[in-house]
Amino acid sequence: MRKESQCLSFSFLFSFFFFFFFLFSCHQSQAQPSTTGYTCSANQTTYPCRTYAFYRASAPDFLDLASIADLFSVSRRMISEPSNISSPSSPLIQNQPLFVPITCSCNTLNPSYTISFANLSYTIKSGDTFYLVSTNKYQNLTTYQSVEVVNPAFVPTKLEVGDVFIFPVFCKCPDQTQLRNRVNYLVSYVLQPSENLSSVASRFGIETQAIIDVNGNNIRPFDTLFVPVARLPELKQPAVAPSAPPSRKTERKGVITGLSIGLGICGASLVLVLVAGVGIICSFKHINLFSD
């Protein structure tokens, strides 16, 4: 009887720990970011929505708002205003932070698979691959696996210059519960190797747990996470350095050059006047000579 009781106890404990491990594994698998995209419900009424992607200016191609605006199919002003940049024509520096507006939709790829992304068209250029464009130009806001899923009719190894593809920038729209809790945006943000969830939360002025509640805590570098905010934080932007004033030497040289040009013009004018005067006098003499 005693052995049977011990066996039952052991079986119960084993079942309990197995069940706990199963739940833990499920939680981890749900929190694990997807390489092909983030699933969504086509019945969620908050789709589509306007949200933002956090982007960093980078050399050599994306150190001005015009090139970044073209990449995301928006205007320069649509980036400068939420990014706290005074002028759309302001130059950018390496890693300068930006908020880029995107329209997020829940897209049905097949009857059993729907993922959430911003539908951005990109024209292939010389040297481009799905991987290079995803990691370098879109800065890991999407993945080459997701690009392949969204563009199933194309062969990734046979890209031609001028081909147009959809690059799905990862995004999410707040659900009704989040909206009631004043989460108006889920900002797409790529975690950098030097960052952690606490530093990202500090940048956006929110609690770390708020990020974990949306994304889980199994986020790795270069994964896209979604930062829940009521409004965008004010980005600290570098001051645009004014053009250097000309030196005294340059000013003096300019003054001398200006005076030289002015005197030259005056001298030439005087010569012309003298020549014209001499010509008139000679003409009068010639007329008088024939008159006599």
Side-chain angles (χ1 to χ4, degrees):
M1 185 71 179
R2 186 175 180 182
K3 288 184 177 180
E4 184 178 353
S5 177
Q6 289 177 342
C7 287
L8 288 172
S9 298
F10 178 80
S11 299
F12 176 78
L13 288 173
F14 178 81
S15 299
F16 176 79
F17 282 112
F18 178 81
F19 180 72
F20 178 80
F21 177 78
F22 176 78
L23 289 179
F24 179 78
S25 299
C26 287
H27 173 72
Q28 289 295 95
S29 64
Q30 289 173 356
Q32 182 70 29
S34 170
T35 57
T36 57
Y38 295 82
T39 58
C40 57
S41 172
N43 296 324
Q44 184 175 327
T45 57
T46 56
Y47 282 96
C49 68
R50 166 61 62 88
T51 186
Y52 293 87
F54 186 91
Y55 194 82
R56 296 168 174 85
S58 61
D61 298 325
F62 300 103
L63 285 180
D64 62 277
L65 288 178
S67 59
I68 299 171
D70 288 344
L71 182 66
F72 286 88
S73 300
V74 295
S75 69
R76 293 180 299 169
R77 189 172 297 279
M78 291 171 70
I79 302 175
S80 64
E81 289 181 352
S83 301
N84 190 33
I85 296 176
S86 58
S87 170
S89 59
S90 296
L92 306 176
I93 64 172
Q94 184 72 17
N95 290 322
Q96 186 168 341
L98 303 167
F99 283 128
V100 181
I102 54 176
T103 300
C104 190
S105 302
C106 187
N107 304 273
T108 302
L109 301 181
N110 59 56
S112 60
Y113 190 50
T114 56
I115 58 175
S116 180
F117 60 82
N119 189 326
L120 297 180
S121 296
Y122 178 85
T123 303
I124 294 296
K125 300 174 179 59
S126 179
D128 281 345
T129 65
F130 284 169
Y131 175 78
L132 290 176
V133 175
S134 299
T135 56
N136 295 342
K137 295 187 177 182
Y138 285 106
Q139 300 181 355
N140 294 293
L141 285 164
T142 187
T143 62
Y144 74 91
Q145 296 98 326
S146 187
V147 179
E148 291 175 3
V149 169
V150 173
N151 300 274
F154 294 90
V155 180
T157 57
K158 296 182 179 180
L159 305 183
E160 295 184 3
V161 173
D163 285 344
V164 179
F165 295 93
I166 300 301
F167 274 75
V169 168
F170 296 150
C171 61
K172 279 187 176 181
C173 293
D175 58 28
Q176 293 293 349
T177 301
Q178 290 169 325
L179 289 173
R180 284 194 295 270
N181 291 328
R182 300 184 66 245
V183 174
N184 296 319
Y185 304 108
L186 294 173
V187 179
S188 300
Y189 187 97
V190 176
L191 187 69
Q192 301 301 302
S194 60
E195 296 177 319
N196 54 43
L197 296 186
S198 177
S199 63
V200 175
S202 177
R203 179 191 283 271
F204 283 83
I206 62 174
E207 298 294 328
T208 304
Q209 188 60 45
I211 297 179
I212 295 174
D213 290 343
V214 175
N215 303 275
N217 57 4
N218 195 28
I219 304 295
R220 300 166 302 183
F222 303 119
D223 284 340
T224 299
L225 55 87
F226 305 102
V227 184
V229 293
R231 59 183 180 84
L232 296 177
E234 184 174 307
L235 295 176
K236 294 181 179 179
Q237 299 293 3
V240 179
S243 301
S247 63
R248 290 186 177 181
K249 184 177 180 180
T250 303
E251 289 179 348
R252 182 178 297 176
K253 183 178 179 181
V255 170
I256 293 172
T257 302
L259 287 173
S260 299
I261 293 172
L263 291 174
I265 293 172
C266 291
S269 300
L270 182 59
V271 170
L272 288 174
V273 170
L274 290 174
V275 170
V278 170
I280 292 171
I281 292 171
C282 290
S283 297
F284 273 111
K285 286 184 177 181
H286 183 72
I287 292 170
N288 291 333
L289 179 65
F290 276 97
S291 299
D292 293 339

